Amino acid sequence: MTNDDSTRMTAVVCHAPKDYRVEQVTRPRAGPREMVIRIAACGICASDCKCYSGAKMFWGGPSPWVKAPVIPGHEFFGYVDELGEGAAEHFGVEVGERVIAEQIVPCGKCRYCRSGQYWMCEVHNIFGFQREVADGGMADYMRIPPTAIVHRIPDGISLEDAAIIEPLACAIHTVNRGDVQLDDVVVIAGAGPLGLMMTQVAHLKTPKRLVVIDLLDERLELAREYGADVTINPKRDDALEFVRSLTNGYGCDVYIETTGAAAGVGQGLQLIRKLGRFVEFSVFGEDATVDWSIIGDRKELDVRGAHLGPYCYPVAIDLLARGLVTSKGIVTHGFTLDEWDEAIKIANSPASIKVLMKPR
């Protein structure tokens, strides 16, 4: 699809579950202290797949998370194309520079924003799910509002590496929530894009043992390349026996749940030792039901959530610039916007790990 009208652009538009259309829409313009970026790439996240499939956390209840129609996409980066009045000074950028905006657009007024905990903003506008502030990055161009948090991307970082900055920031925050120590046995459940990035980050923390669990051998092989000491495929391995053999029968010190499957929660409660640290990252498509007495009465666990990547984008960019973390092996497919139907099909299958949408 070609676009010769400078006032129009190509975009994927979410109208309802499984009703995403490639359309010609009005190209955004930059208002005061705003900018417009030309999208270089936008990843399809597991949450995008769940949203497309109609998971109730996105569409259910009296106040649904998704407010359609909306252009999806929060794993984006691009080139500064237009700067509104005062935007250059406000964001500290110039036309042509590569930039990324954090996925949340803080309101700046609620108790969380005022206390520096902006990632838990009460209003909680996230690019690609609601239009109150701006659309997402599955388009030719995207408007960045004044309250967005913007970071510049060095020229030496490849397109594929730049495209994983957002999920890598989430991975860093999650591993940090685990408070990994040198003598810890750490288990990461799930070797999808986030789990594989968490593996690389956790490896940099040099725990005593790093264990990764997944059902796909190809992903476990990647996990070993990224620093996992032990990999477990529950289809043929007894995860509990493996972990106990590494810990004198006690269980792991840190369990990071990133499978997105309810079974991963129950598995973690079995594998983790008493007084261990359980970090929950996943976005679930269904309710996860567990025996809460394990958390309190039996093990007195420290259960920690992990949401987004606050204060971690500069760290992610630095790790990529220094070659300490890589997208190689994680980014497996690239599609144009016009190929959306094929892209979401592949993203929703074991055939891919990370799928990128590339407008050009």
Side-chain angles (χ1 to χ4, degrees):
M1 183 182 297
T2 59
N3 181 20
D4 298 325
D5 186 345
S6 62
T7 67
R8 307 289 285 176
M9 69 173 184
T10 303
V12 177
V13 182
C14 162
H15 291 273
K18 297 185 180 179
D19 184 5
Y20 285 49
R21 311 170 199 168
V22 179
E23 299 179 355
Q24 291 294 299
V25 301
T26 301
R27 176 177 164 176
R29 295 298 179 186
R33 296 176 54 172
E34 294 181 343
M35 66 176 164
V36 171
I37 64 173
R38 175 172 57 84
I39 297 295
C42 183
I44 299 179
C45 177
S47 62
D48 292 316
C49 292
K50 288 183 172 69
C51 182
Y52 174 83
S53 299
K56 67 180 181 179
M57 73 159 290
F58 295 100
W59 299 98
S63 180
W65 179 246
V66 179
K67 298 178 182 177
V70 63
I71 298 172
H74 57 274
E75 294 185 1
F76 59 84
F77 83 95
Y79 297 87
V80 178
D81 187 76
E82 179 188 351
L83 290 165
E85 182 181 355
E89 297 79 13
H90 176 63
F91 289 116
V93 300
E94 298 177 359
V95 169
E97 286 190 308
R98 291 199 305 175
V99 298
I100 185 170
E102 297 196 19
Q103 68 277 71
I104 191 167
V105 184
C107 72
K109 299 176 181 179
C110 71
R111 64 178 293 180
Y112 302 109
C113 289
R114 292 198 310 269
S115 65
Q117 298 166 318
Y118 66 91
W119 70 101
M120 298 306 299
C121 172
E122 188 69 14
V123 179
H124 221 75
N125 284 317
I126 293 183
F127 288 117
F129 293 102
Q130 313 97 12
R131 271 191 146 153
E132 280 86 345
V133 175
D135 279 307
M138 293 188 193
D140 289 327
Y141 296 89
M142 178 180 176
R143 181 177 62 87
I144 306 298
T147 55
I149 303 172
V150 173
H151 306 276
R152 289 183 291 182
I153 303 173
D155 291 336
I157 295 179
S158 69
L159 180 146
E160 289 77 15
D161 280 356
I164 69 163
I165 291 172
E166 187 274 341
L168 178 56
C170 294
I172 294 167
H173 178 55
T174 302
V175 172
N176 285 344
R177 290 285 285 159
D179 191 23
V180 175
Q181 302 298 309
L182 296 174
D183 59 348
D184 281 341
V185 173
V186 178
V187 173
I188 296 174
L194 266 299
L196 290 170
M197 291 180 218
M198 290 175 195
T199 300
Q200 296 183 66
V201 174
H203 177 64
L204 294 175
K205 298 278 189 176
T206 63
K208 183 178 180 180
R209 290 286 187 277
L210 178 57
V211 182
V212 176
I213 302 175
D214 199 86
L215 295 171
L216 297 177
D217 287 333
E218 300 82 7
R219 297 187 179 191
L220 293 176
E221 182 179 347
L222 269 178
R224 289 191 293 272
E225 292 179 16
Y226 295 151
D229 300 299
V230 178
T231 56
I232 298 172
N233 186 328
K235 288 190 295 187
R236 63 170 180 272
D237 304 324
D238 187 326
L240 184 59
E241 180 181 338
F242 259 83
V243 171
R244 283 180 173 171
S245 71
L246 295 172
T247 59
N248 294 319
Y250 288 103
C252 62
D253 303 281
V254 180
Y255 181 89
I256 297 175
E257 202 294 306
T258 184
T259 66
V265 180
Q267 172 184 258
L269 294 178
Q270 295 298 319
L271 297 184
I272 198 167
R273 67 166 173 85
K274 296 176 182 179
L275 302 174
R277 301 181 295 284
F278 187 117
V279 185
E280 180 53 63
F281 173 81
S282 293
V283 175
F284 294 99
E286 59 184 13
D287 292 341
T289 303
V290 298
D291 180 0
W292 274 70
S293 60
I294 297 174
I295 297 170
D297 182 61
R298 298 184 201 170
K299 292 189 175 182
E300 195 175 324
L301 298 177
D302 189 350
V303 180
R304 305 176 181 185
H307 181 57
L308 306 185
Y311 301 106
C312 292
Y313 279 67
V315 180
I317 291 168
D318 177 66
L319 292 179
L320 291 165
R322 290 193 285 153
L324 296 176
V325 177
T326 181
S327 64
K328 186 177 180 181
I330 294 176
V331 174
T332 56
H333 293 77
F335 295 91
T336 66
L337 295 172
D338 291 321
E339 296 171 320
W340 163 257
D341 289 339
E342 181 65 16
I344 190 63
K345 179 181 177 182
I346 294 294
N348 251 328
S349 77
S352 69
I353 298 180
K354 174 57 65 179
V355 174
L356 301 183
M357 304 299 297
K358 302 176 183 179
R360 289 174 173 78

Short mmCIF file of all heavy atoms in Angstrom, two decimals, residues 17-52:
data_model
loop_
_atom_site.label_atom_id
_atom_site.label_comp_id
_atom_site.label_asym_id
_atom_site.label_seq_id
_atom_site.Cartn_x
_atom_site.Cartn_y
_atom_site.Cartn_z
N PRO A 17 -11.84 -7.24 19.69
CA PRO A 17 -11.06 -8.47 19.63
C PRO A 17 -11.12 -9.11 18.25
O PRO A 17 -12.19 -9.25 17.66
CB PRO A 17 -11.73 -9.36 20.68
CG PRO A 17 -12.31 -8.40 21.66
CD PRO A 17 -12.77 -7.23 20.85
N LYS A 18 -9.94 -9.44 17.72
CA LYS A 18 -9.78 -10.06 16.40
C LYS A 18 -10.30 -9.19 15.27
O LYS A 18 -10.47 -9.68 14.14
CB LYS A 18 -10.44 -11.45 16.38
CG LYS A 18 -9.80 -12.42 17.36
CD LYS A 18 -10.37 -13.81 17.24
CE LYS A 18 -9.69 -14.75 18.24
NZ LYS A 18 -10.22 -16.12 18.20
N ASP A 19 -10.55 -7.93 15.55
CA ASP A 19 -10.96 -6.98 14.51
C ASP A 19 -9.94 -5.84 14.47
O ASP A 19 -10.17 -4.76 14.99
CB ASP A 19 -12.36 -6.44 14.80
CG ASP A 19 -12.87 -5.51 13.70
OD1 ASP A 19 -12.18 -5.37 12.66
OD2 ASP A 19 -13.94 -4.90 13.88
N TYR A 20 -8.80 -6.14 13.89
CA TYR A 20 -7.72 -5.18 13.69
C TYR A 20 -7.58 -4.96 12.19
O TYR A 20 -7.43 -5.93 11.44
CB TYR A 20 -6.40 -5.70 14.25
CG TYR A 20 -6.26 -5.69 15.76
CD1 TYR A 20 -7.25 -6.21 16.59
CD2 TYR A 20 -5.11 -5.17 16.36
CE1 TYR A 20 -7.11 -6.22 17.96
CE2 TYR A 20 -4.95 -5.17 17.74
CZ TYR A 20 -5.96 -5.70 18.54
OH TYR A 20 -5.81 -5.71 19.91
N ARG A 21 -7.61 -3.71 11.75
CA ARG A 21 -7.63 -3.43 10.32
C ARG A 21 -6.47 -2.51 9.95
O ARG A 21 -6.14 -1.58 10.69
CB ARG A 21 -8.94 -2.76 9.93
CG ARG A 21 -10.18 -3.47 10.44
CD ARG A 21 -11.42 -2.61 10.22
NE ARG A 21 -12.51 -3.04 11.07
CZ ARG A 21 -13.63 -2.33 11.26
NH1 ARG A 21 -13.79 -1.17 10.61
NH2 ARG A 21 -14.57 -2.79 12.07
N VAL A 22 -5.88 -2.76 8.77
CA VAL A 22 -4.88 -1.85 8.22
C VAL A 22 -5.64 -0.76 7.48
O VAL A 22 -6.37 -1.04 6.52
CB VAL A 22 -3.92 -2.59 7.27
CG1 VAL A 22 -2.90 -1.61 6.69
CG2 VAL A 22 -3.21 -3.72 8.02
N GLU A 23 -5.47 0.48 7.93
CA GLU A 23 -6.27 1.58 7.41
C GLU A 23 -5.39 2.78 7.06
O GLU A 23 -4.25 2.90 7.53
CB GLU A 23 -7.32 2.01 8.44
CG GLU A 23 -8.30 0.92 8.82
CD GLU A 23 -9.31 1.37 9.87
OE1 GLU A 23 -9.17 2.52 10.37
OE2 GLU A 23 -10.19 0.59 10.20
N GLN A 24 -5.97 3.66 6.25
CA GLN A 24 -5.38 4.98 6.03
C GLN A 24 -6.04 5.94 7.02
O GLN A 24 -7.26 6.08 7.04
CB GLN A 24 -5.62 5.45 4.59
CG GLN A 24 -4.83 4.66 3.56
CD GLN A 24 -3.33 4.88 3.70
OE1 GLN A 24 -2.84 6.00 3.58
NE2 GLN A 24 -2.59 3.81 3.96
N VAL A 25 -5.23 6.56 7.86
CA VAL A 25 -5.75 7.46 8.89
C VAL A 25 -5.03 8.80 8.81
O VAL A 25 -4.04 8.95 8.10
CB VAL A 25 -5.57 6.84 10.31
CG1 VAL A 25 -6.28 5.51 10.41
CG2 VAL A 25 -4.08 6.68 10.64
N THR A 26 -5.54 9.76 9.56
CA THR A 26 -4.92 11.08 9.56
C THR A 26 -3.56 11.04 10.24
O THR A 26 -3.42 10.51 11.34
CB THR A 26 -5.83 12.08 10.30
OG1 THR A 26 -7.10 12.13 9.66
CG2 THR A 26 -5.21 13.47 10.30
N ARG A 27 -2.58 11.59 9.57
CA ARG A 27 -1.23 11.64 10.14
C ARG A 27 -1.20 12.65 11.28
O ARG A 27 -1.74 13.76 11.17
CB ARG A 27 -0.24 12.05 9.05
CG ARG A 27 1.18 12.24 9.53
CD ARG A 27 2.09 12.56 8.37
NE ARG A 27 3.36 13.11 8.84
CZ ARG A 27 4.38 13.41 8.05
NH1 ARG A 27 4.25 13.24 6.74
NH2 ARG A 27 5.49 13.91 8.54
N PRO A 28 -0.61 12.30 12.42
CA PRO A 28 -0.59 13.23 13.56
C PRO A 28 0.32 14.43 13.31
O PRO A 28 1.28 14.34 12.53
CB PRO A 28 -0.06 12.37 14.71
CG PRO A 28 0.79 11.33 14.04
CD PRO A 28 0.09 11.03 12.74
N ARG A 29 0.02 15.51 13.97
CA ARG A 29 0.84 16.73 13.93
C ARG A 29 1.24 17.11 15.35
O ARG A 29 0.53 16.81 16.31
CB ARG A 29 0.09 17.88 13.26
CG ARG A 29 -0.21 17.63 11.78
CD ARG A 29 1.06 17.47 10.97
NE ARG A 29 0.80 17.21 9.56
CZ ARG A 29 1.73 16.92 8.67
NH1 ARG A 29 3.00 16.84 9.07
NH2 ARG A 29 1.40 16.68 7.41
N ALA A 30 2.34 17.78 15.47
CA ALA A 30 2.88 18.13 16.78
C ALA A 30 2.32 19.46 17.27
O ALA A 30 2.43 20.48 16.58
CB ALA A 30 4.40 18.20 16.73
N GLY A 31 1.72 19.43 18.47
CA GLY A 31 1.29 20.66 19.11
C GLY A 31 2.40 21.21 19.99
O GLY A 31 3.54 20.73 19.96
N PRO A 32 2.12 22.23 20.79
CA PRO A 32 3.14 22.80 21.68
C PRO A 32 3.73 21.72 22.60
O PRO A 32 3.01 20.91 23.18
CB PRO A 32 2.36 23.84 22.48
CG PRO A 32 1.21 24.22 21.59
CD PRO A 32 0.84 22.97 20.88
N ARG A 33 5.05 21.70 22.70
CA ARG A 33 5.80 20.75 23.53
C ARG A 33 5.49 19.29 23.18
O ARG A 33 5.61 18.40 24.01
CB ARG A 33 5.54 21.02 25.01
CG ARG A 33 6.03 22.37 25.47
CD ARG A 33 5.68 22.67 26.91
NE ARG A 33 6.12 21.62 27.82
CZ ARG A 33 6.06 21.72 29.15
NH1 ARG A 33 5.60 22.84 29.70
NH2 ARG A 33 6.45 20.72 29.91
N GLU A 34 5.10 19.06 21.95
CA GLU A 34 4.88 17.71 21.44
C GLU A 34 5.83 17.45 20.28
O GLU A 34 6.36 18.38 19.67
CB GLU A 34 3.44 17.53 20.94
CG GLU A 34 2.38 17.62 22.01
CD GLU A 34 1.00 17.40 21.44
OE1 GLU A 34 0.81 17.50 20.20
OE2 GLU A 34 0.07 17.13 22.24
N MET A 35 6.01 16.17 19.96
CA MET A 35 6.75 15.84 18.76
C MET A 35 6.09 14.68 18.04
O MET A 35 5.29 13.94 18.63
CB MET A 35 8.21 15.51 19.08
CG MET A 35 8.45 14.27 19.89
SD MET A 35 10.24 14.00 20.07
CE MET A 35 10.27 12.83 21.41
N VAL A 36 6.40 14.55 16.78
CA VAL A 36 5.96 13.43 15.98
C VAL A 36 7.20 12.66 15.56
O VAL A 36 8.19 13.24 15.11
CB VAL A 36 5.16 13.88 14.74
CG1 VAL A 36 4.91 12.71 13.78
CG2 VAL A 36 3.85 14.52 15.16
N ILE A 37 7.15 11.33 15.73
CA ILE A 37 8.27 10.50 15.30
C ILE A 37 7.84 9.64 14.13
O ILE A 37 6.67 9.25 14.01
CB ILE A 37 8.81 9.62 16.45
CG1 ILE A 37 7.76 8.61 16.93
CG2 ILE A 37 9.30 10.48 17.59
CD1 ILE A 37 8.30 7.60 17.95
N ARG A 38 8.79 9.37 13.25
CA ARG A 38 8.58 8.40 12.17
C ARG A 38 9.00 7.05 12.72
O ARG A 38 10.16 6.85 13.11
CB ARG A 38 9.41 8.77 10.95
CG ARG A 38 9.34 7.75 9.83
CD ARG A 38 10.02 8.25 8.54
NE ARG A 38 11.40 8.61 8.76
CZ ARG A 38 12.43 7.75 8.75
NH1 ARG A 38 12.21 6.46 8.54
NH2 ARG A 38 13.66 8.17 8.93
N ILE A 39 8.07 6.12 12.76
CA ILE A 39 8.32 4.83 13.40
C ILE A 39 9.34 4.02 12.59
O ILE A 39 9.20 3.87 11.37
CB ILE A 39 7.02 4.03 13.56
CG1 ILE A 39 6.05 4.77 14.50
CG2 ILE A 39 7.31 2.62 14.08
CD1 ILE A 39 6.53 4.90 15.92
N ALA A 40 10.34 3.50 13.28
CA ALA A 40 11.32 2.61 12.65
C ALA A 40 10.91 1.16 12.82
O ALA A 40 11.08 0.34 11.91
CB ALA A 40 12.70 2.85 13.24
N ALA A 41 10.40 0.82 14.00
CA ALA A 41 9.95 -0.55 14.27
C ALA A 41 9.07 -0.53 15.51
O ALA A 41 9.21 0.33 16.38
CB ALA A 41 11.13 -1.51 14.48
N CYS A 42 8.17 -1.52 15.58
CA CYS A 42 7.30 -1.67 16.74
C CYS A 42 7.08 -3.16 16.97
O CYS A 42 6.61 -3.86 16.07
CB CYS A 42 5.96 -0.96 16.53
SG CYS A 42 4.85 -1.04 17.96
N GLY A 43 7.44 -3.64 18.15
CA GLY A 43 7.29 -5.05 18.46
C GLY A 43 5.85 -5.41 18.81
O GLY A 43 5.08 -4.57 19.28
N ILE A 44 5.51 -6.67 18.58
CA ILE A 44 4.24 -7.21 19.04
C ILE A 44 4.50 -7.90 20.37
O ILE A 44 5.26 -8.87 20.44
CB ILE A 44 3.64 -8.20 18.02
CG1 ILE A 44 3.37 -7.50 16.68
CG2 ILE A 44 2.35 -8.81 18.56
CD1 ILE A 44 2.81 -8.42 15.61
N CYS A 45 3.89 -7.40 21.43
CA CYS A 45 4.07 -7.91 22.78
C CYS A 45 3.08 -9.03 23.05
O CYS A 45 2.04 -9.15 22.38
CB CYS A 45 3.87 -6.77 23.77
SG CYS A 45 3.97 -7.23 25.50
N ALA A 46 3.39 -9.85 24.06
CA ALA A 46 2.43 -10.88 24.47
C ALA A 46 1.11 -10.26 24.89
O ALA A 46 0.04 -10.84 24.67
CB ALA A 46 3.02 -11.71 25.61
N SER A 47 1.17 -9.06 25.48
CA SER A 47 -0.07 -8.39 25.86
C SER A 47 -0.87 -7.96 24.63
O SER A 47 -2.10 -7.96 24.65
CB SER A 47 0.22 -7.18 26.76
OG SER A 47 0.99 -6.22 26.09
N ASP A 48 -0.17 -7.62 23.54
CA ASP A 48 -0.87 -7.31 22.29
C ASP A 48 -1.60 -8.55 21.78
O ASP A 48 -2.73 -8.47 21.29
CB ASP A 48 0.12 -6.83 21.23
CG ASP A 48 0.73 -5.47 21.55
OD1 ASP A 48 -0.02 -4.58 21.97
OD2 ASP A 48 1.95 -5.33 21.38
N CYS A 49 -0.94 -9.71 21.89
CA CYS A 49 -1.56 -10.96 21.45
C CYS A 49 -2.79 -11.28 22.29
O CYS A 49 -3.83 -11.69 21.76
CB CYS A 49 -0.56 -12.10 21.52
SG CYS A 49 0.80 -11.97 20.33
N LYS A 50 -2.68 -11.10 23.60
CA LYS A 50 -3.81 -11.37 24.49
C LYS A 50 -4.94 -10.39 24.23
O LYS A 50 -6.12 -10.75 24.26
CB LYS A 50 -3.37 -11.33 25.94
CG LYS A 50 -2.50 -12.53 26.35
CD LYS A 50 -2.15 -12.47 27.82
CE LYS A 50 -1.45 -13.76 28.28
NZ LYS A 50 -0.11 -13.92 27.71
N CYS A 51 -4.59 -9.14 23.97
CA CYS A 51 -5.61 -8.13 23.66
C CYS A 51 -6.32 -8.49 22.35
O CYS A 51 -7.55 -8.45 22.28
CB CYS A 51 -4.95 -6.76 23.55
SG CYS A 51 -6.10 -5.41 23.23
N TYR A 52 -5.54 -8.87 21.34
CA TYR A 52 -6.12 -9.26 20.06
C TYR A 52 -7.07 -10.46 20.23
O TYR A 52 -8.14 -10.52 19.62
CB TYR A 52 -5.00 -9.62 19.09
CG TYR A 52 -5.47 -10.19 17.77
CD1 TYR A 52 -5.87 -9.35 16.73
CD2 TYR A 52 -5.50 -11.57 17.56
CE1 TYR A 52 -6.31 -9.87 15.52
CE2 TYR A 52 -5.94 -12.10 16.36
CZ TYR A 52 -6.34 -11.25 15.34
OH TYR A 52 -6.78 -11.77 14.15
#
